[in-house]
Amino acid sequence: MDTIFALASAQGKAGVAVIRVSGPQAHQAALQLSGSSLPRQGTTLRVLKDQFGNPLDEALVLLFSGPHSFTGENTVEFQVHGSISVISAVLQSLSEIDGLRIAEPGEFTRRALENGKLDLAQVEGLADLIDAETESQRKQAQTLLSGGLGVLAERWRRDLIRAASLIEVTIDFADEDVPVDVTPEVSGLLSGIQADLQKEAEGVGIAERIRHGFEVAIVGAPNVGKSTLLNMLAGREAAITSEYAGTTRDVIEVRMDLAGLPVTLLDTAGLRDTDDHVENIGISLARKRAESADLRVFLVEKGEDLTIEMRDGDIRLLPKADVRENSEIAVSGKTGQGVDYLISHITRVLRDRSAGAGVASHARHRETLNLANERLKNAQTILLQGPEYYDIATEEMRSAIRSLEMLVGRVGVEDLLDEIFSSFCLGK
């Protein structure tokens, strides 16, 4: 197997940069650059030199012996000064050592998967953690990375193996009197697993919203202050505002962190009847985005008909609180009046919805969970048909077990790996 290396920290100038090397020649490569003996495990300070003995940098060298490393292989990390020239010189020196090559995107993590240090769900959790922007995203990714889904899958797998074993005992002793009817216990085990699978599958939708962000659309007629409110919430001039109706024609998006939740605010075109062809396109887009948004904020006058039906969690407020005498349920993007209430409402609704998220957080997880659940439904139906069909029921249980193994990447996921690891950087 090749020994690979790459910059593991971010590109560009920094105080410290980390260069990672992993593979059978990792320790030998570190010895070549440092020019003196090194411990098999631990940390040491060394002056790194090129092949001609010229100093490159003074570096902290961290050595890990496999399998006690991230990849499960012998690994070295050089913590060097984060100068672009230093990083380039060290990488160049590593490339000149026989048997070493630059890592491909995600190759360190792929080796961790292949060496049993991570399961596939943990790999996805690591990718999510790297991309996390808010506290809720970080917590969700950490749960997946820590092996939470793998623990659940293993528990379900053990229960399925027991259920299948009980049925197989009945089949093996079909010609003898078996004193105990195992069907109630098997059915109970399957029902418990099905309930868990369904709960996790149903929670994926919310978990995906946490990963990608909730959408909150600001909806109303022209000139009610939608763009001004968006600018107030964003803390910057994200949308053009004017006294002329129809100024906003496209959907303006602003990414925010509300109490740890990722939220994208949408400023939409004012809803009205118009002969302006371009504005009509904007209004159609506004309706479409508002319909698909997770939550809508309606800025409308009392008695004004809504052209979009309100849903649970949506909020209706009077616009332009700054020009009203009674502004208890009004909001103003100009003065900030009512904005705290609005943010509190949005946060509460989205936090309540987030409570329904489970450990599974990817569409792949949902598909695999649903497939396993379908197999178990078939097994339950077949069990009711009598002992002569028990062998078919057992095969359905085995199929469910294989689905759970696919969930954590033990079998049948080779075609997914290139796509998953393509999103990783070189040093990960």
Side-chain angles (χ1 to χ4, degrees), residues 379-398:
Q380 290 274 41
T381 302
I382 294 167
L383 280 175
L384 297 176
Q385 297 178 22
E388 61 269 28
Y389 295 98
Y390 280 180
D391 55 338
I392 302 176
T394 303
E395 185 55 39
E396 291 289 344
M397 293 181 211
R398 291 197 189 100

Side-chain angles (χ1 to χ4, degrees), residues 7-75:
L7 177 66
S9 51
Q11 295 281 349
K13 186 169 62 176
V16 175
V18 178
I19 297 171
R20 177 179 289 166
V21 186
S22 181
Q25 292 181 244
H27 286 188
Q28 181 60 33
L31 180 61
Q32 265 185 257
L33 261 63
S34 65
S36 58
S37 62
L38 295 168
R40 283 188 55 79
Q41 191 94 358
T43 306
T44 185
L45 187 66
R46 290 288 190 274
V47 174
L48 305 184
K49 299 179 180 180
D50 64 18
Q51 59 180 326
F52 303 109
N54 300 313
L56 299 170
D57 192 28
E58 187 174 41
L60 192 63
V61 183
L62 287 72
L63 298 103
F64 307 88
S65 294
H68 306 295
S69 69
F70 172 72
T71 61
E73 305 169 335
N74 285 346
T75 302

Side-chain angles (χ1 to χ4, degrees), residues 241-407:
T241 60
S242 79
E243 70 275 18
Y244 299 105
T247 300
T248 302
R249 298 194 174 195
D250 203 353
V251 176
I252 309 298
E253 300 185 9
V254 173
R255 187 85 166 177
M256 292 185 64
D257 180 339
L258 288 185
L261 292 169
V263 175
T264 299
L265 291 172
L266 308 177
D267 176 25
T268 61
L271 304 180
R272 66 170 178 171
D273 294 326
T274 176
D275 294 328
D276 188 314
H277 176 67
V278 176
E279 187 179 353
N280 264 325
I281 294 174
I283 292 171
S284 296
L285 181 59
R287 292 182 184 279
K288 184 177 180 180
R289 292 298 297 274
E291 289 291 350
S292 65
D294 299 286
L295 190 151
R296 286 83 57 83
V297 177
F298 292 92
L299 299 184
V300 290
E301 297 290 346
K302 287 182 179 179
E304 183 180 346
D305 291 333
L306 296 176
T307 57
I308 298 175
E309 185 177 351
M310 288 188 69
R311 298 192 300 246
D312 183 40
D314 288 347
I315 183 169
R316 178 171 178 161
L317 295 171
L318 294 171
K320 300 183 178 180
D322 51 293
V323 297
R324 296 177 181 275
E325 293 183 5
N326 183 357
S327 55
E328 292 180 5
I329 55 169
V331 65
S332 170
K334 183 176 291 187
T335 65
Q337 187 175 341
V339 168
D340 287 345
Y341 168 75
L342 175 60
I343 292 175
S344 176
H345 177 93
I346 294 172
T347 302
R348 177 178 55 79
V349 171
L350 297 184
R351 187 177 286 157
D352 288 346
R353 293 182 185 177
S354 298
V359 179
S361 57
H362 289 249
R364 182 187 74 83
H365 301 164
R366 178 173 52 227
E367 291 167 5
T368 307
L369 291 167
N370 286 336
L371 179 59
N373 205 0
E374 189 63 33
R375 298 298 188 190
L376 296 186
K377 287 179 183 177
N378 293 341
Q380 290 274 41
T381 302
I382 294 167
L383 280 175
L384 297 176
Q385 297 178 22
E388 61 269 28
Y389 295 98
Y390 280 180
D391 55 338
I392 302 176
T394 303
E395 185 55 39
E396 291 289 344
M397 293 181 211
R398 291 197 189 100
S399 294
I401 291 172
R402 286 193 291 272
S403 295
L404 295 178
E405 290 176 337
M406 288 174 62
L407 189 64

Side-chain angles (χ1 to χ4, degrees), residues 83 89 102 119 123 133 150 154 156 187 193 199 212 217-218 250 263 265 281 284 307 327 330 366 402 412 420 426:
S83 157
I102 193 76
D119 63 37
V123 168
E133 298 175 339
E154 184 57 31
W156 297 329
S187 183
I193 298 168
K199 180 181 178 182
H212 298 299
I218 304 174
D250 203 353
V263 175
L265 291 172
I281 294 174
S284 296
T307 57
S327 55
R366 178 173 52 227
R402 286 193 291 272
I420 290 172
L426 291 178

